[in-house]
């Protein structure tokens, strides 16, 4: 197993690489590098090495179907080619990985373009955690000349909201940073909520950073639309056949590093927002009802099902 797989997996586990997109991109790039450096000398060995990497990445962060889909795509594309030559297989991985990353980048641009239209001039929007896709949408709205303010939660326990806040300040967007429990206090002053996604189920329920579902309830109570800003490839195909998306539980030290002995601490990283709380999924195919995810994904990414 090449070092690049181990070291990338470690970075993902430790949140040095954060957010579903960045996690998937890091895993794809690591596999691409491994394929270039491979010392295997048969197709069987080459595929076994890819599958070993797939196994390692699957244990890094459980709730990341974009990463799983990306790796599965690379493996099936490689399995399907007729050649037995390792040099050609390694070239296939290179080409497919490059293409996958380019398509992902293109989706991000399309999503930002569509989503930015839902930010009204002189409005206030709300976000939670750090989603690179949501941030890109905000950057696009700003570049389009929209004047708007953002309210951003700190996002306990790992404070990913600080990443969002720093980036928004750098973009020159007026941002107010609040503790998670202040969300209800501010919701009445908000015109729209934009959050990212880690996973989408076949029913159109969305798994995102812990606290998202509470924010969705607050948004509904305040009649504020909540948009999920996401690439379609965060869909988990296993949910179609009845599997539930697994919710990652992280170390308790993230919550309280010097907790008293005997205290039980629980640290789920994500929660599920049911489709009825979601005004729309802003994805590369447009703004869609979450319940239509399977219909929309089928023609676009038939390989995923
Ligand atoms: C990050 C998180 C983000 C999604 C979407 O959680 O929940 O909202 O991953 O991000 P963590 P992106 O910090 O635990 O990875 O839009 O960048 O894919």
């Amino acid at each position: 197993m090449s070092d690049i797989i181990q070291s990338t997996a470690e970075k993902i586990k430790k949140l040095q690489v954060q957010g579903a997109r960045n996690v998937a991109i890091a895993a794809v790039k690591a596999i691409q590098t491994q394929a270039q450096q491979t010392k295997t000398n048969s197709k069987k060995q080459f595929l076994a090495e890819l599958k070993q990497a797939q196994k390692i990445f699957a244990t890094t962060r459980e709730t990341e179907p974009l990463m799983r889909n990306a790796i599965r795509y690379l493996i099936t594309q490689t399995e399907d080619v007729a050649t037995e030559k390792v040099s050609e297989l390694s070239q296939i991985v290179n080409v497919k990985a490059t293409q996958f990353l380019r398509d992902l980048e293109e989706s991000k641009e399309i999503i930002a373009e569509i989503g930015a239209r839902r930010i009204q001039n002189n409005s206030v929007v709300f976000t939670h955690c750090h989603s690179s896709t949501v941030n890109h949408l905000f950057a696009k709205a700003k570049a389009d000349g929209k004047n708007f303010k953002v309210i951003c939660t700190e996002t306990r326990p790992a404070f990913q909201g600080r990443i969002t806040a720093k980036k928004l300040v750098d973009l020159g967007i007026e941002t107010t940073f609040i503790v998670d429990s202040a969300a209800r206090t501010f919701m009445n002053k908000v015109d729209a909520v934009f959050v990212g996604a880690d996973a989408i189920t076949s029913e159109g329920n969305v798994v995102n950073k812990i606290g998202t579902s509470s924010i969705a309830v607050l948004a509904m109570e305040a009649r504020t639309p909540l948009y999920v800003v996401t690439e379609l490839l965060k869909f988990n195909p296993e949910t179609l056949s009845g599997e539930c998306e697994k919710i990652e539980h992280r170390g308790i030290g993230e919550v309280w590093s010097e907790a008293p002995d005997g205290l039980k601490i629980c640290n789920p990283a994500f929660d599920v927002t049911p489709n009825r709380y979601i005004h729309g999924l802003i994805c590369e195919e447009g703004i869609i009802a979450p319940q239509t995810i399977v219909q929309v994904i089928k023609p676009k990414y038939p390989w995923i099902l």
Side-chain angles (χ1 to χ4, degrees):
M1 179 54 43
S2 82
D3 288 351
I4 186 77
I5 300 295
Q6 295 292 2
S7 62
T8 307
E10 268 316 292
K11 281 187 194 153
I12 292 172
K13 263 189 206 161
K14 291 181 179 158
L15 293 187
Q16 288 166 2
V17 177
Q18 168 279 334
R21 268 183 70 87
N22 292 334
V23 162
I25 291 169
V28 168
K29 286 186 175 167
I31 288 179
Q32 192 176 21
T33 305
Q34 172 185 257
Q36 303 318 294
Q37 298 171 346
T38 187
K39 297 202 166 41
T40 58
N41 45 33
S42 68
K43 184 171 186 175
K44 195 170 167 214
Q45 284 176 10
F46 185 83
L47 286 172
E49 191 174 61
L50 282 182
K51 286 179 185 171
Q52 177 68 6
Q54 179 182 39
K55 241 189 203 162
I56 290 176
F57 282 124
T59 61
T60 54
R61 303 211 56 194
E62 278 177 293
T63 318
E64 298 299 357
L66 177 60
M67 170 171 63
R68 295 199 299 268
N69 290 334
I71 298 174
R72 186 162 64 87
Y73 174 75
L74 294 181
I75 293 178
T76 51
Q77 293 290 309
T78 315
E79 275 171 340
D80 287 352
V81 289
T83 185
E84 292 290 319
K85 277 193 184 162
V86 170
S87 60
E88 288 177 10
L89 294 169
S90 126
Q91 185 55 12
I92 295 285
V93 172
N94 193 23
V95 168
K96 295 293 174 186
T98 305
Q99 189 188 318
F100 188 91
L101 295 174
R102 210 175 32 228
D103 291 350
L104 205 56
E105 202 49 37
E106 204 177 291
S107 296
K108 187 168 93 169
E109 295 304 330
I110 298 168
I111 290 168
E113 180 143 2
I114 296 168
R117 297 191 185 118
R118 289 290 162 109
I119 296 192
Q120 305 301 320
N121 211 16
N122 300 319
S123 64
V124 180
V125 302
F126 187 107
T127 193
H128 180 58
C129 193
H130 177 252
S131 154
S132 57
T133 326
V134 171
N135 260 50
H136 197 60
L137 185 160
F138 290 159
K140 176 76 173 91
K142 172 83 181 167
D144 288 348
K146 297 266 175 71
N147 178 33
F148 63 101
K149 297 176 186 167
V150 181
I151 294 173
C152 161
T153 58
E154 61 176 356
T155 318
R156 283 279 291 149
F159 300 106
Q160 288 96 332
R162 291 179 184 173
I163 308 172
T164 301
K166 276 187 199 150
K167 289 187 186 284
L168 294 177
V169 168
D170 285 348
L171 285 167
I173 297 172
E174 190 181 322
T175 303
T176 304
F177 192 65
I178 61 169
V179 296
D180 299 351
S181 44
R184 193 175 187 204
T185 301
F186 286 87
M187 195 51 80
N188 282 329
K189 302 178 180 69
V190 166
D191 298 294
V193 178
F194 295 85
V195 291
D198 285 275
I200 312 166
T201 71
S202 56
E203 307 100 311
N205 300 329
V206 166
V207 182
N208 190 50
K209 178 55 54 193
I210 190 78
T212 302
S213 68
S214 314
I215 289 166
V217 172
L218 300 179
M220 180 154 274
E221 184 198 42
R223 300 188 176 209
T224 304
L226 176 136
Y227 294 101
V228 175
V229 184
T230 178
E231 295 82 3
L232 289 167
L233 288 176
K234 288 177 179 170
F235 174 69
N236 176 358
E238 290 164 15
T239 56
L240 254 183
S241 51
E243 292 295 326
C244 289
E245 179 65 35
K246 290 188 186 65
I247 301 290
E248 175 190 353
H249 280 247
R250 299 192 56 86
I252 58 173
E254 279 184 359
V255 178
W256 192 356
S257 56
E258 285 163 22
D261 288 346
L263 178 70
K264 191 169 178 281
I265 296 179
C266 197
N267 186 19
F270 303 102
D271 64 19
V272 183
T273 301
N275 58 30
R276 64 185 180 278
Y277 292 94
I278 300 168
H279 197 82
L281 296 186
I282 304 179
C283 67
E284 62 270 43
E285 289 292 277
I287 303 186
I288 63 166
Q291 295 88 335
T292 63
I293 182 81
V294 177
Q295 266 163 269
V296 178
I297 212 163
K298 227 178 200 167
K300 177 88 179 163
Y301 304 109
W303 57 266
I304 206 175
L305 299 171

